[in-house]
Amino acid sequence: MATATNPARKLFSSFKTLGLSAPQVRALMPDWWDDEAATDEGGLLELQILLARRLNVSLVSLQSQKPQPAFRSTTQRFKTVHPEGSSQLAVAASIGHGLAQLLASSCASTPLQPPVDADTLRKDLLKNNEAVTLDALCEWLWTAGIPVVHVTGWPDGLRRPDAMCVRASGRPVVIVVRKETALAKLAYLIAHEAGHIMNGHLSCDENAVLVDDTLSVDSQQSFFDQDEKQADAYAMTLLGGSALFASSKKLVGPDYSEMSLAAAALGEAQKAKLDAGQVILSWARLTEDWKLANLALRFLKTTEIAPVVINDVAKRHMNFEMLPNDGLDHIFKLTGMDLRSI
C-alpha cells in the first residue's frame, strides 16, 4: 500500500499547480499501475514518462525532488467567453496533445491532403453519399490524413470543451469532447473544426492547439471572432449552405409535434441531398425553438450514437501496430476504443 511519502503520490499531487487534482491525474493512468512501483527507480521513471506523454508536460519538470509540472511550449488559442476559461482550457489542451500524438502516429503512412474549400468538399462527399453525414465526414477526414475521435472518458470535474484541433507530427487532429449523442450536432462540430483547419487558423507550429470551449451548435451562446465566423461559414456551406437554409425556411410557420417536425425535415432533406438532422438544427436557428428541435432529433435516431459512429470510423483507419502498448491503453482510457484485442 502506498504511503504519504510514496513518490507516486507526491507526483500526482504536484499537478495541482496546473489545475489538475490527484484523482484526475490518476484517471489518466493505466489500470495496471500500482503506486508501489514508484518506490523503485525504474518504476518512478516509467511513471514520469507516462505522465509527460499523456499530459504534454516536460519530463525534466517531473524529475526534481519537488516536482513542478510545466506544460511543453505550444502555440495555444482558446475560444471562450469565460474569464477563467484560458487557464482551465490549458489543461484540456494538454490532454488533447497527448492523445493527438498517438492518433497522428496511427496514420503516419496516410498522406496529408492539401486544404479544400467547403463547396469542393461537399461535392466530393455527395459523389458517394446521399448527404453530408457524420460518418461520411469522418471517413473523408481520415482518408485525407486528418484523424478524428470522440473523447468519452473525460476526467470527472475537469472543464469539458466542445472540441479542439491539434497539430501533431505535422498533421492536424480533430478531437471532439462535447457530451452529445445526436449525430447532426457532432457533425456540425467536426465541420466547424475542419473549417478552422482548412482556413489556416491552426498554427503550423508543432503541438499548436485551437480549443473551442462552447460552439453555437444549439441554444448556447458563443464568442464569435473572425476565425469563428469563418469556421462556422465553412461548416454551414459544407452541411448544405443555401439549400439547407431554403429547406429549413420552408418549415417555418406550422405548429409541429416532435414527430411531425422530424417527418417534415426528412421530406425536405431527401429533395436536396441534405441530412435531416441538419435541417432540424437550421430550423431551430430560425425559430429559436430548441426544445422542440432536440425532441425531433430523437425521432431520427436509429441505433447509432454519435460518439460511437465517430470512433467506429477511427478504428477502421487506425494502424494500431504503430502504437506502443501504453498508447493503446491511453486511447482506450479516453475514447473507449479497445484496440488491444484487434
Side-chain angles (χ1 to χ4, degrees), residues 31 54 98-100 102-104 106-107 138-139 142 146-154 173-176 305-320 323-342:
D31 291 336
R54 297 188 176 198
L99 178 58
L102 292 169
L103 296 172
S106 78
C107 67
C138 290
E139 283 281 358
W142 272 99
I146 303 173
V148 185
V149 296
H150 184 277
V151 175
T152 56
W154 195 251
V173 176
V174 175
I175 298 174
V176 181
I305 303 299
V308 176
V309 171
I310 295 170
N311 290 342
D312 278 352
V313 174
K315 286 168 70 173
R316 292 197 292 270
H317 286 271
M318 292 177 67
N319 183 354
F320 62 91
L323 300 171
N325 286 334
D326 71 284
L328 296 174
D329 177 89
H330 191 47
I331 289 173
F332 174 65
K333 207 68 158 163
L334 288 177
T335 70
M337 290 189 288
D338 194 351
L339 305 173
R340 301 166 296 183
S341 59
I342 293 178

Side-chain angles (χ1 to χ4, degrees), residues 44 95 168 264 268:
L44 178 58
I95 295 173
E268 288 298 325

Side-chain angles (χ1 to χ4, degrees), residues 35-71:
D35 284 0
E36 283 302 310
T39 59
D40 174 78
E41 185 176 340
L44 178 58
L45 178 59
E46 183 175 19
L47 174 60
Q48 291 164 341
I49 291 172
L50 280 171
L51 290 172
R53 286 176 178 171
R54 297 188 176 198
L55 286 163
N56 196 49
V57 297
S58 163
L59 178 59
V60 173
S61 71
L62 303 179
Q63 294 181 313
S64 63
Q65 281 294 105
K66 293 184 178 180
Q68 295 182 314
F71 293 131

Side-chain angles (χ1 to χ4, degrees), residues 202-240:
L202 178 64
S203 170
C204 291
D205 297 339
E206 182 64 14
N207 274 347
V209 61
L210 191 158
V211 182
D212 279 310
D213 187 19
T214 305
L215 293 172
S216 58
V217 67
D218 52 24
S219 56
Q220 297 176 9
Q221 297 298 311
S222 179
F223 176 72
F224 264 38
D225 62 12
Q226 191 59 35
D227 284 358
E228 292 303 305
K229 289 178 181 178
Q230 288 180 354
D232 183 65
Y234 188 99
M236 297 312 298
T237 299
L238 175 57
L239 296 171

